[in-house]
Each structure stands twice: as C-alpha cells, then as structure tokens.
Amino acid sequence: MSAAITTSTFANILYEVKGAIAYITLNRPKVLNALNKSVITELKTAFEATREDSAVRSVIFTGAGDKAFAAGADISEMLNDTPIEAEEKTRLGQALTTLIENLGKPVIAAVNGYALGGGCELAMSCTIRLASETAKFGQPEVKIGIMPGYGGTQRLPRLVGKGRALQLILTGDVIGADEAYRIGLVNEIVPSGSLIARAEAILKQINANAPQGVKFSIEAVNKGLDTSVDEGLLIEASLFALCAATEDKKEGTAAFLGKRAPQFQGR
Ligand code: CAA
C-alpha cells in the first residue's frame, strides 16, 4: 500500500521520498497551514506510509510557504462543532501525535514560521525540533475560548517543565525561536534558508546507525518517561537484550573491532 503513496494521493499535504528520507509538507499556505479534519486524516495516512515503507528511515515534517509550519487547528471549521464533533477531532489529532511520537523512525519538525496551537502540538510530537530564526511558538487556545487539544497539556510540560508550560498555556503568549530554544522547546535555531539542509544533515548521521538501535532508543525514552525510573530501566534492559539478537549488533561490533565502517541491514 505504501508504495502507491505520492503527493497526488493528497489534497492538503505534499509527500515525497528521496533516498532514506520521507518529506511531509503541510500545504495550505494561504491559511497558514491550518489543520482541518482532512489535513489530520491525510497526515495519518502519510505517516503510516512512512512507518510501513522499509526504504524510509526517517521523516522531515515542515510547512509550505515562508510564514507557517501550522497556525493551529482550523478555526473556521471548529466554529460550529458540537461537543461530540470536538471530542472526535481532538481524539483524531491526539492519535496523530501519538503515531508521530512512536513511529519507530526519527521525525524532525522543521519549523519554518508559526507553530501555534495544534501546530506546536504536532511539532512537539516529533523526535527533534529545528526552528528557523523566524519561527514562533505558542498555545494560544485560551484566547479563543478553548484549550490545547492535540496533546499540548501533556507534552509541553514534559519538554519545558510544568511552570513554563502553564505560563505559556494560560497566557497564550507567542514566543520567538530564541525563547523557545532557551526553554528547551526546540533543539536548534537554524538560518531560515538552511532548515531542511540541517535536518538532512542530522538524519544522515542518524540513518548511518543501526535502525533497530535507533527505533528501540526512541521507544525506551518515550515509554520510560511515562513510568518510574525502575520500570523505565526494565524497558531499557529488555530492548537492550533485543538489540543483542540482531545481525546489526554482530556487524556493528565486528566493524568496530575490525576498524571498518559498519554496513547495517536493519535486522
Ligand atoms: N485557522 C483558520 N484560519 C487561519 C488560522 C487558523 N488557525 N490561522 C490563520 N488563518 C488564516 C487567516 O484567517 C487568514 O485568512 P484570510 O486571508 O482568508 O483572512 C490567513 O490565514 C492569514 O492569517 P492572518 O491574516 O491572521 O495572518 P497574520 O500574519 O496577520 O497573523 C497569526 C498570523 C498571528 C498566526 C494569526 O493568523 C493567528 O492568530 N492565527 C490563529 C492562531 C491560533 O489561535 N491557533 C490555535 C488554533 S486552536 C487549536 O489549535 C486547538 C488545538 O489545540 C488543536
């Protein structure tokens, strides 16, 4: 199924695979890549395709245009939502962020402008966040009478701490790249024109490593953060043991001792 997925599959996003990297681009620049139900559904299909395609080792997720990654859920679409429809939409958005966070392959959010509300929440579900110098972040939902709904109340405090998260969520303040970097919301600030190149450079490094080691490391961090240190250590030990059963462990250790570059096969 995944082999058939291309940009033409979608109305609201761009999808392209180049080498080991899938590029998923939100493509509604006229409305600052606002996230309506179709966008969320298309993103789910696209990310599932990257998960199923063994040629894809990692993903770069960005927004079309020079103003926005995504300025949040589509406010015009939510205007008349009943509570039932609102709950359905928030669950869809939450399921998408969980899918991205646990894809088993690194996803870099290349934040090229506004990442507000659901846009910030999507970025937070990614493995790594790079911000252009002009990027802006915030959870301004309370300003329009709602609250974060795609995981912001859970992931923001885990990334920046409870106090800072609550200040951002309750004031609705929009912060620039410098402040986002200072509080640990983004990993790096990159000159605007170099955002994708920097993401590619990081992924080139990651993609040279053993795929199972990368996948299990993401899983250990994600699952471990939601549990006690003791239980997290048990998860780590179990996944460490699984690594020992891989061909790539044999190859990686032999290559090191043989003073040559490893050739990992992902098994
Ligand atoms: N939904 C729908 N349309 C949006 C939008 C959104 N979230 N954000 C921007 N747009 C549209 C605008 O309506 C405008 O359309 P028109 O040209 O047809 O009028 C177009 O995009 C350009 O936007 P602006 O003219 O407002 O651009 P600006 O540069 O003056 O302001 C901005 C930029 C500060 C980001 C402003 O657009 C803004 O505040 N957007 C809304 C941000 C927001 O509240 N996001 C949270 C949404 S709720 C949510 O996300 C819930 C959740 O947790 C899932």
Side-chain angles (χ1 to χ4, degrees), residues 37 135 245 264:
K37 198 173 167 186
F264 292 121

Side-chain angles (χ1 to χ4, degrees), residues 205-256:
Q205 243 183 305
I206 296 176
N207 291 344
N209 297 326
Q212 303 300 333
V214 168
K215 177 181 165 182
F216 292 147
S217 296
I218 296 172
E219 192 172 355
V221 169
N222 286 347
K223 294 283 182 287
L225 272 176
D226 288 336
T227 185
S228 67
V229 171
D230 266 1
E231 285 175 34
L233 291 175
L234 193 61
I235 293 168
E236 183 184 85
S238 307
L239 294 172
F240 188 84
L242 271 184
C243 284
T246 62
E247 291 295 317
D248 284 347
K249 183 224 173 180
K250 279 188 209 148
E251 167 63 9
T253 48
F256 175 80

Side-chain angles (χ1 to χ4, degrees), residues 12 26-41 43 69-82 85-86 89-90 93 116-122 140-141 144 146-147 149-150:
N12 302 288
L26 292 158
N27 192 27
R28 301 178 78 210
K30 284 189 183 146
V31 287
L32 306 186
N33 300 320
L35 307 160
N36 61 19
K37 198 173 167 186
S38 306
V39 175
I40 299 294
T41 307
L43 286 173
F69 175 73
D74 193 316
I75 298 169
S76 60
E77 195 189 64
M78 75 172 64
L79 196 63
N80 298 313
D81 277 352
T82 64
E85 287 163 340
K89 272 192 198 159
T90 190
L116 302 180
C120 189
E121 291 167 307
L122 282 181
E141 289 91 341
I144 57 167
I146 54 170
M147 61 178 281
Y150 293 174

